[in-house]
Amino acid sequence: MVKYRKGVKSGKQGDVIYSSWHGIPYERKMPESVANPRTEEQQAHRNAFAEISRLSSAMKVAHTVGLHNKAMRDKLNTHSVFKKINKDCYGADGIDYSRVCISLGPVSGISITSAEVNQEGLVHVTFNNICTTEDKNDEFYLFVFCPDQHEGRFVAPVARFIGSVEATIPEEWKGHALHLYAFMKGKRLRTSDSVYVGSFSVKKS
C-alpha cells in the first residue's frame, strides 16, 4: 500500500516499490526471483553447519580443554574453532566420527597400542609410554562420546609414563555406539593433536 508524506510516495503498489534516499524519491521494481533459493547444495551446506554446531555443543567438555590454546591464538572461542576445523566431517551418511578433531597443539602426540570395551562396560586403553624427562608428566586424556545420548565424558587423566587407563561407561550408554578420542595435555594448558581411538558398543545388561 502506497502512502504519501509531504508529497513523497512510500510503500508498494503492484510490482513497484516507492521510497526515498536522503530526501530524493525513487522507485524500483520487485525482483522476479528470490535471492536465496533453497537449492539442494545450499540445504546440504546448512544441514552440515547445523549438525557440526550441535556436535560442538555435545563435545564442549572436550574441546574446551583440547582447543583452548588454538582458540587463544586465533582470538576465538573453542566452539568457533571446533566448527571451523570439523566443517568437512559431515556428509551424505551423517557425521564421520573418525575424522572429528577435539584437540590441536604442539605437545608430543600419542600412539595407542590397544583399546577395548568389554561387555561389562569396562574401557581399557593402553598407549606408548616412552617419554623424556621433559614430557613424562604430560597427562593422557581419554574422551568417550555417545552420539545417541548427545553426551561425552572424560576418563580421569593419567600421567604419560603410566601407559594405560581404565574406566566404566555409564549404564545408560549401553546398547549405543561409543566413540573414543585421546590427546595429551602438557604444561601451560598446551595439548597434542587428538587421535581417534575407535568405535565400540556394549550390549545392555
Side-chain angles (χ1 to χ4, degrees), residues 58 87 168:
K87 58 183 173 56
T168 303

Side-chain angles (χ1 to χ4, degrees), residues 32 125 129 135 149 182:
E32 294 181 2
V125 175
N129 67 342
D135 60 17
Q149 296 291 328

Side-chain angles (χ1 to χ4, degrees), residues 20-190:
S20 64
W21 184 76
H22 289 292
I24 302 171
Y26 72 90
E27 60 185 66
R28 63 183 175 87
K29 293 194 71 173
M30 287 281 289
E32 294 181 2
S33 60
V34 178
N36 184 29
R38 297 168 66 87
T39 65
E40 193 171 308
E41 185 177 351
Q42 285 175 320
Q43 283 299 99
H45 176 76
R46 289 169 185 155
N47 289 341
F49 182 84
E51 287 299 322
I52 294 301
S53 185
R54 280 193 283 271
L55 181 64
S56 177
S57 296
M59 288 186 160
K60 182 179 180 181
V61 66
H63 64 66
T64 296
V65 178
L67 297 176
H68 172 79
N69 270 283
K70 169 69 172 170
M72 292 290 286
R73 290 196 305 272
D74 294 352
K75 297 181 179 179
L76 297 169
N77 56 48
T78 61
H79 181 63
S80 297
V81 173
F82 181 93
K83 291 189 294 183
K84 183 178 180 181
I85 64 178
N86 289 295
K87 58 183 173 56
D88 296 326
C89 292
Y90 181 83
D93 298 324
I95 293 172
D96 182 352
Y97 291 98
S98 68
R99 296 177 59 194
V100 172
C101 174
I102 62 170
S103 177
L104 287 173
V107 172
S108 176
I110 46 176
S111 174
I112 302 298
T113 53
S114 69
E116 64 176 356
V117 181
N118 67 24
Q119 290 310 306
E120 284 68 51
L122 179 68
V123 178
H124 183 76
V125 175
T126 62
F127 53 93
N128 189 331
N129 67 342
I130 298 175
C131 53
T132 65
T133 302
E134 178 71 19
D135 60 17
K136 71 174 183 178
N137 290 319
D138 289 353
E139 291 183 311
F140 176 85
Y141 275 68
L142 182 68
F143 180 69
V144 185
F145 182 68
C146 181
D148 292 341
Q149 296 291 328
H150 202 63
E151 183 183 7
R153 298 181 186 179
F154 274 129
V155 173
V158 298
R160 184 193 288 264
F161 70 86
I162 292 177
S164 67
V165 66
E166 281 189 347
T168 303
I169 66 166
E171 189 66 31
E172 62 269 23
W173 287 9
K174 292 182 178 180
H176 301 283
L178 303 174
H179 298 276
L180 276 59
Y181 303 85
F183 62 84
M184 285 288 180
K185 184 167 80 69
K187 298 176 181 178
R188 297 186 294 278
L189 302 178
R190 296 184 307 165

